[in-house]
Amino acid sequence: MIDTIREFFLAFGSVGLVVWTLLKIGLIVLPITLGVAFYTLLERKVIGWMHVRHGPVYVGQVFGIGLIQPFADVFKMLFKELVVPSSANAFLYRLAPVLAIAPAFAAWAVVPFDDALVLADINAGLLYLLAMTSMGVYGVILAGWASNSKYAFLGAMRSAAQVVSYEIAMGFALVGVLVAAGSLNLSEIVRAQQGGAGFLEWFWLPLLPLFAIYFISGVAETNRAPFDVAEGESEIVAGFHVEYSGSAFAVFFLAEYANMILISLLASILFLGGWLSPFQGWIDGWLGQPGFWWLLLKAFVFAFTFLWLRATFPRYRYDQIMRLGWKVFIPITIVWILVAALAVHWGWIVAGA
């Protein structure tokens, strides 16, 4: 069906191509925005249940769940005044949220939801992802510096060191996937995990240490608990966005949760077969067929894990976070890249199969 719609628009030449591209952008941006809204509701409900309390209930109460609560929060933040501190650099203060949200949305351009639905199916997709996800830290640093606040600046410096540290481990984990798949294209990485043995064909099994390190590094990259020293409320009030309010704060919020959903999808694509069924080759019918619903289901599990970690673990000390990244994760990833390369060389992993 998607191919038919694409051919219809492409029949109108360059104008049709522009319209088709804008339509695909809308099909990605709108669900992301709505997904972030309901993800915040899910977070408050899940953490509430884990703490033996209710969470949002009254705003838009349906089945005991406040379904309209995220929209009430959004409207409240949009209509609140954006107060620029008198000693802040006004231009950079306003630019920082843009630098945080732009890479968070731009990274979605190369994410394939199935064989047909991907905005830009480029061959260097992994490199593009690394570039985009590493750009978000500039918005954080700029927010801390331009606010001219000691607490904000401390949070920005913490975040910069943390993100740079865990980007290395995350990049090395992606190198292991590149070695196993023989391609930088995300769609080709998913196809390399096809086979008749179901989920045993996926990269999570031969690359299990890299799988765990990638996801944990993703939690650290997004400054989420237990790696939320950049927003250590008990230490530095609210971290790098302590001086932000209204719509600017909402943009930082949107960027953080969009990155969490992105990490969940990428972990599913790179290590769990993306849109492939876990029962491929074992069961006939729709259960054994690939489809975007499999990708969404796998991503939901990872997104839930983000919330589970926040409700379970206390915040790490800053020195513990640095030690985990530099002295544990990076050495393990380097060793496992060598293991993956040897496995491909000896035929235990068939690259590009």
Side-chain angles (χ1 to χ4, degrees), residues 8 15 38-39 48 80 102 131 139 223 226 234 241 256 265 271 291 342:
F8 171 77
V15 175
F38 286 105
Y39 193 21
K80 287 182 71 173
N223 292 317
S234 59
H241 51 53
E256 178 179 323
L265 278 168
F271 298 97
L342 293 176

Side-chain angles (χ1 to χ4, degrees), residues 166-349:
Y166 283 87
E167 266 179 7
I168 300 173
M170 180 178 285
F172 282 163
L174 295 183
V175 171
V177 175
L178 165 61
V179 170
S183 175
L184 284 166
N185 184 288
L186 293 177
S187 298
E188 291 298 327
I189 290 173
V190 175
R191 296 186 190 107
Q193 301 176 67
Q194 286 180 332
F199 62 89
L200 298 178
E201 299 278 355
W202 299 346
F203 288 154
W204 70 272
L205 189 57
L207 303 179
L208 184 58
L210 300 184
F211 174 36
I213 289 173
Y214 178 82
F215 182 70
I216 297 173
S217 298
V219 176
E221 282 274 300
T222 52
N223 292 317
R224 292 288 298 181
F227 303 100
D228 57 337
V229 293
E231 306 170 8
E233 294 88 349
S234 59
E235 303 166 15
I236 50 176
V237 187
F240 61 91
H241 51 53
V242 65
E243 300 294 343
Y244 281 86
S245 61
S247 57
F249 178 79
V251 169
F252 277 119
F253 208 66
L254 177 60
E256 178 179 323
Y257 281 81
N259 281 325
M260 291 164 61
I261 299 175
L262 177 65
I263 293 294
S264 302
L265 278 168
L266 290 178
S268 306
I269 289 170
L270 298 172
F271 298 97
L272 293 184
W275 59 82
L276 300 178
S277 167
F279 311 111
Q280 56 182 348
W282 293 349
I283 299 177
D284 294 329
W286 69 271
L287 273 178
Q289 296 300 315
F292 71 93
W293 55 85
W294 288 117
L295 176 60
L296 297 182
L297 180 61
K298 297 167 189 175
F300 177 82
V301 173
F302 287 111
F304 178 82
T305 305
F306 270 98
L307 312 181
W308 194 353
L309 292 175
R310 178 182 174 184
T312 305
F313 292 101
R315 183 183 304 124
Y316 284 166
R317 290 200 318 265
Y318 185 72
D319 62 304
Q320 292 174 329
I321 291 177
M322 292 295 103
R323 182 170 64 249
L324 180 66
W326 287 100
K327 294 185 177 181
V328 179
F329 281 0
I330 292 177
I332 291 176
T333 53
I334 292 174
V335 170
W336 213 260
I337 289 172
L338 178 60
V339 172
L342 293 176
V344 170
H345 176 72
W346 288 328
W348 298 342
I349 303 176

Side-chain angles (χ1 to χ4, degrees), residues 23-35:
L23 179 61
K24 287 199 293 184
I25 292 174
L27 288 174
I28 293 174
V29 171
L30 183 60
I32 292 172
T33 307
L34 291 176

Side-chain angles (χ1 to χ4, degrees), residues 1-260:
M1 179 178 178
I2 294 178
D3 291 334
T4 304
I5 298 174
R6 178 177 58 194
E7 291 174 2
F8 171 77
F9 282 107
L10 294 182
F12 293 94
S14 57
V15 175
L17 177 61
V18 171
V19 174
W20 171 241
T21 303
L22 292 176
L23 179 61
K24 287 199 293 184
I25 292 174
L27 288 174
I28 293 174
V29 171
L30 183 60
I32 292 172
T33 307
L34 291 176
V36 166
F38 286 105
Y39 193 21
T40 60
L41 175 63
L42 177 67
E43 178 179 32
R44 296 172 70 179
K45 294 298 290 187
V46 166
I47 294 178
W49 292 330
M50 290 184 176
H51 291 170
V52 198
R53 53 187 176 82
H54 293 294
V57 173
Y58 298 107
V59 181
Q61 182 175 5
V62 179
F63 304 114
I65 300 175
L67 286 178
I68 309 180
Q69 184 68 53
F71 302 100
D73 294 337
V74 168
F75 291 141
K76 179 189 73 173
M77 287 191 286
L78 289 180
F79 286 105
K80 287 182 71 173
E81 181 183 4
L82 174 58
V83 179
V84 181
S86 58
S87 57
N89 185 313
F91 173 73
L92 296 181
Y93 179 86
R94 292 185 173 91
L95 179 63
V98 178
L99 291 181
I101 191 67
F105 275 90
W108 288 81
V110 297
V111 176
F113 297 92
D114 60 22
D115 262 326
L117 185 55
V118 54
L119 181 60
D121 193 20
I122 61 177
N123 290 329
L126 275 182
L127 290 178
Y128 176 84
L129 275 173
L130 282 173
M132 288 298 105
T133 53
S134 64
M135 287 287 290
V137 71
Y138 292 106
V140 172
I141 295 174
L142 204 60
W145 184 84
S147 298
N148 198 21
S149 165
K150 292 181 177 63
Y151 288 131
F153 188 69
L154 281 173
M157 292 300 99
R158 284 181 173 191
S159 179
Q162 177 176 316
V163 169
V164 168
S165 301
Y166 283 87
E167 266 179 7
I168 300 173
M170 180 178 285
F172 282 163
L174 295 183
V175 171
V177 175
L178 165 61
V179 170
S183 175
L184 284 166
N185 184 288
L186 293 177
S187 298
E188 291 298 327
I189 290 173
V190 175
R191 296 186 190 107
Q193 301 176 67
Q194 286 180 332
F199 62 89
L200 298 178
E201 299 278 355
W202 299 346
F203 288 154
W204 70 272
L205 189 57
L207 303 179
L208 184 58
L210 300 184
F211 174 36
I213 289 173
Y214 178 82
F215 182 70
I216 297 173
S217 298
V219 176
E221 282 274 300
T222 52
N223 292 317
R224 292 288 298 181
F227 303 100
D228 57 337
V229 293
E231 306 170 8
E233 294 88 349
S234 59
E235 303 166 15
I236 50 176
V237 187
F240 61 91
H241 51 53
V242 65
E243 300 294 343
Y244 281 86
S245 61
S247 57
F249 178 79
V251 169
F252 277 119
F253 208 66
L254 177 60
E256 178 179 323
Y257 281 81
N259 281 325
M260 291 164 61

